[in-house]
Amino acid sequence: MLIAAQPVSSTPASSVIVELSIAFQPMLHGERIFAFRAEVTGPGGRAFEAVLGALAPEKRHALDCRRAALALRQAIAAGIVQSDALLLLPVNAASATPEALIADLLAAARDSGFPADRLVLEISADERGNLAPATRFAELCAEAGISIALSSFASGPVGLNLLAKFAPRFVTLDRSLVRNIDRSESLRLIVDGALRLARRRGVVMVAPLTETRGELAALLRIGVEHLQGGWINVEPAQRRIAPRREPRTLPLGTQRDLLTHRRQPNLAQDAIAALRSVLA
């Protein structure tokens, strides 16, 4: 389920207009939302990484910065900053030099008014990823006091090497380790081992959205307590967050958000209801 905003136009350096849709996925510890994860998709719900990968390498950093800026602005509009929840912001660690990427992300947070100490930058521990830029990015974030999360964490060498080199604030298990975990002793042993390693490193392990009661029950028995909640679908007529589409003729930096003044006072209640619907 989804807390969604209407698509917003983004114009990267290539002058190609890309419409990005932004949603926030609740992350829960018990019935408390401790964070929201920004989920950004391209036209027609296309994965952001697919949109990014279609650009020339030298143009990807600009679009990644657009994603961050739009997500931060929408988080402000959603009222997340009025809660005590963190914001997980996915970034592509290979889209630019780590120094440039961190500087631009902090500038986007400063420009939007979103507190930097409530921001957690999420990089992928996907086995197909490149270890070197992710490692360097994480090292610089640690030096700057910026929190990091690892997503798509599996038991292979990339994820384990990243976890061995630094201690992120959160690690989200890869969905492949959770799917049908209630039917697989091997998966339960792997997740149990990963959880023990994370705890020894002082890292909070998060399970991705479970699809069945059995999966959730198995994770809870192992000791995984932090979960990604369901998507909160809000139909257009019912949206509490309704930013208008920005003019396409203006550069992003000069556009002014035309937002309604309504806020999202019941984010926690909606997210908990969504998680309960998965268990029903």
Side-chain angles (χ1 to χ4, degrees):
M1 304 180 76
L2 182 68
I3 301 172
Q6 293 178 356
V8 182
S9 299
S10 172
T11 309
S14 62
S15 298
V16 175
I17 295 173
V18 178
E19 286 190 348
L20 301 178
S21 295
I22 302 167
F24 298 102
Q25 185 181 30
M27 304 175 71
L28 299 103
H29 182 209
E31 293 196 351
R32 183 183 71 88
I33 291 182
F34 67 90
F36 286 92
R37 182 182 185 272
E39 179 76 11
V40 181
T41 55
R46 190 181 182 194
F48 179 83
E49 292 301 330
V51 176
L52 195 69
L55 295 178
E58 66 272 12
K59 297 177 181 178
R60 293 172 185 169
H61 176 56
L63 186 58
D64 207 24
C65 288
R66 303 292 186 189
R67 168 172 65 169
L70 291 173
L72 288 164
R73 286 158 50 196
Q74 295 290 359
I76 293 288
I80 290 175
V81 74
Q82 276 76 46
S83 72
D84 61 354
L86 301 169
L87 177 66
L88 265 70
L89 181 62
V91 296
N92 188 312
S95 67
T97 64
E99 294 81 359
L101 183 54
I102 292 172
D104 288 342
L105 290 170
L106 289 178
R110 184 169 56 251
D111 292 343
S112 70
F114 196 92
D117 61 354
R118 299 265 301 280
L119 187 62
V120 181
L121 302 180
E122 180 188 271
I123 58 176
S124 176
D126 193 310
E127 291 300 314
R128 296 166 293 179
N130 187 343
L131 180 61
T135 301
R136 180 59 181 157
F137 180 78
E139 290 172 347
L140 289 176
C141 284
E143 293 173 6
I146 304 171
S147 295
I148 285 288
L150 286 181
S151 66
S152 304
F153 182 82
S155 58
V158 174
L160 291 176
N161 283 334
L162 283 172
L163 192 55
K165 291 178 179 295
F166 72 98
R169 188 165 186 170
F170 303 109
V171 165
T172 301
L173 290 169
D174 189 80
R175 177 68 188 132
S176 64
L177 294 180
V178 174
R179 187 179 295 111
N180 297 322
I181 190 173
D182 52 321
R183 306 178 190 174
S184 172
E185 183 179 1
S186 296
L187 288 179
R188 292 194 294 273
L189 290 172
I190 291 172
V191 171
D192 180 70
L195 178 61
R196 292 174 185 271
L197 175 61
R199 284 177 171 170
R200 288 174 182 171
R201 298 281 288 153
V203 177
V204 172
M205 178 161 286
V206 181
L209 176 63
T210 55
E211 296 177 352
T212 68
R213 294 173 61 99
E215 289 176 354
L216 180 58
L219 288 166
L220 293 175
R221 282 196 297 269
I222 291 170
V224 179
E225 300 176 346
H226 294 73
L227 308 167
Q228 287 185 351
W231 296 107
I232 301 177
N233 289 316
V234 181
E235 296 302 322
Q238 300 173 324
R239 281 187 179 130
R240 301 189 187 104
I241 310 167
R244 302 173 190 171
R245 184 169 296 180
E246 296 175 325
R248 297 186 179 188
T249 57
L250 298 176
L252 183 66
T254 61
Q255 291 173 349
R256 184 175 72 88
D257 283 328
L258 301 175
L259 301 174
T260 66
H261 296 290
R262 289 176 292 178
R263 290 296 183 253
Q264 186 83 9
N266 297 316
L267 290 176
Q269 293 90 327
D270 290 343
I272 292 166
L275 183 59
R276 286 172 176 167
S277 73
V278 175
L279 299 176

